[in-house]
Amino acid sequence: RRSSDLSVNLREITNRSKLVLYNGIGQLVVVMVVMLLLAGGIIDGIGTEGLFFVAICLSLSSTLVAQSALSYSGSEGSLHGQLAGGIMLLQDLVAVVAIVLLEGQMRDAGGITGMGMAFIKMLVLMAVLSSLSRYVLEKVFKFLSESPELMFVTALGYCMGVAAVCDTMGFSQEGGAFFAGVFLGIIPQKLEIEDKVNPLKTFGVILFFLTLGFRMVTLEPGAMGSAFSMAVVLAVIVLVIKPVAMLITGWATRLKGRPAFLLGGTINHCSEFSLIIALICRETGLFSDYVFALVTLTVLF
């Protein structure tokens, strides 16, 4: 699982904030509605809550893939590159909230009560980490700036420490590490830390997919085979519907056709967070083995 998200920059969402919010929220809502209707038509024996999380898994896009695409094409500073950065932040926040609510349902009383408690914990955590970044971490990392290696170790220890504390207090480890990385990403030394963390992040992604592979082995016999052909169809739909939805929201927000098209082509994939959400849904019983295999194969395709 992802240990942190230093690549996410809170300041990105303030640049062209209206375009980011309107297009990000609009595109996500349009895709989720389509995926919710589609999932309801092709998946039998699943509850409303399960359908909702299937739609979330197929609607979210990958920050890692989008950033790699923008970096490869050298378009990070373009209009669609800036919008993609902000939209990816919004979608990552949606993904983390979904993970927090799911784990809150598992750990606490369950249902609405458990989700409500998890949401309150998340707000408190964000307030604490924001204050730490502003009043403590900037001074600490300014003092450590002469030693890049020490900055790297301190940043890694901080994110893992926050995750461990959150786990002890009955909060999501993923949520804790994510928000620790996000608020660490607003300090002036962000670029130096990110440069050191990138190789470790790549290694973490490899370990995550290995772990996912081991989970797939434990599925019921036949679940993968029965979900394969439908997953291919869903993957094609994801590739098509996300750019179309972005063109629709771009037209509604008076975004020109070219950047809207390029933006849609940058985020027409599924998120690695979707795999984490699918794993948790399987553990909570919201997803059967077939649904878990269907969502996982679609995301991978």
Side-chain angles (χ1 to χ4, degrees), residues 173-191:
Q173 296 180 55
E174 293 84 359
F178 174 84
F179 287 117
V182 167
F183 287 106
L184 190 60
I186 67 176
I187 67 174
Q189 296 80 15
K190 178 225 179 201
L191 293 177

Side-chain angles (χ1 to χ4, degrees), residues 37-59:
L37 295 173
L38 190 62
I42 65 174
I43 301 176
D44 298 323
I46 185 172
T48 303
E49 193 175 359
L51 287 174
F52 177 74
F53 282 107
V54 169
I56 288 180
C57 289
L58 299 182
S59 301

Side-chain angles (χ1 to χ4, degrees), residues 113-250:
T113 302
M115 289 186 176
M117 287 298 298
F119 190 74
I120 292 172
K121 290 178 183 178
M122 182 185 69
L123 294 179
V124 173
L125 175 67
M126 291 175 65
V128 171
L129 293 179
S130 177
S131 299
L132 280 175
S133 294
R134 179 172 297 182
Y135 300 111
V136 178
L137 293 182
E138 285 194 20
K139 297 177 181 178
V140 170
F141 282 96
K142 182 179 180 180
F143 176 75
L144 299 175
S145 59
E146 296 297 326
S147 174
E149 290 78 13
L150 192 56
M151 285 179 61
F152 164 69
V153 173
T154 304
L156 189 62
Y158 172 71
C159 291
M160 290 186 171
V162 170
V165 170
C166 287
D167 185 56
T168 302
M169 297 176 64
F171 187 75
S172 165
Q173 296 180 55
E174 293 84 359
F178 174 84
F179 287 117
V182 167
F183 287 106
L184 190 60
I186 67 176
I187 67 174
Q189 296 80 15
K190 178 225 179 201
L191 293 177
E192 290 86 347
I193 298 172
E194 185 177 351
D195 182 61
K196 294 291 183 181
V197 168
N198 269 332
L200 183 62
K201 182 169 67 174
T202 303
F203 179 67
V205 171
I206 295 171
L207 287 182
F208 171 72
F209 281 104
L210 284 174
T211 304
L212 179 67
F214 287 126
R215 294 293 186 95
M216 300 295 284
V217 173
T218 64
L219 294 178
E220 293 178 357
M224 292 283 289
S226 59
F228 190 90
S229 57
M230 185 56 67
V232 173
V233 174
L234 286 177
V236 173
I237 293 174
V238 167
L239 288 172
V240 174
I241 194 62
K242 291 191 175 183
V244 171
M246 186 55 66
L247 286 172
I248 294 173
T249 58

Side-chain angles (χ1 to χ4, degrees), residues 250-291:
W251 172 81
T253 57
R254 298 183 180 179
L255 181 66
K256 292 183 178 179
R258 176 179 169 80
F261 175 77
L262 292 173
L263 180 57
T266 303
I267 63 174
N268 63 336
H269 39 73
C270 292
S271 174
E272 59 276 6
F273 270 124
S274 300
L275 299 173
I276 299 175
I277 295 172
L279 283 170
I280 299 175
C281 284
R282 186 193 177 204
E283 292 173 359
T284 58
L286 291 175
F287 285 4
S288 64
D289 281 2
Y290 169 77
V291 176

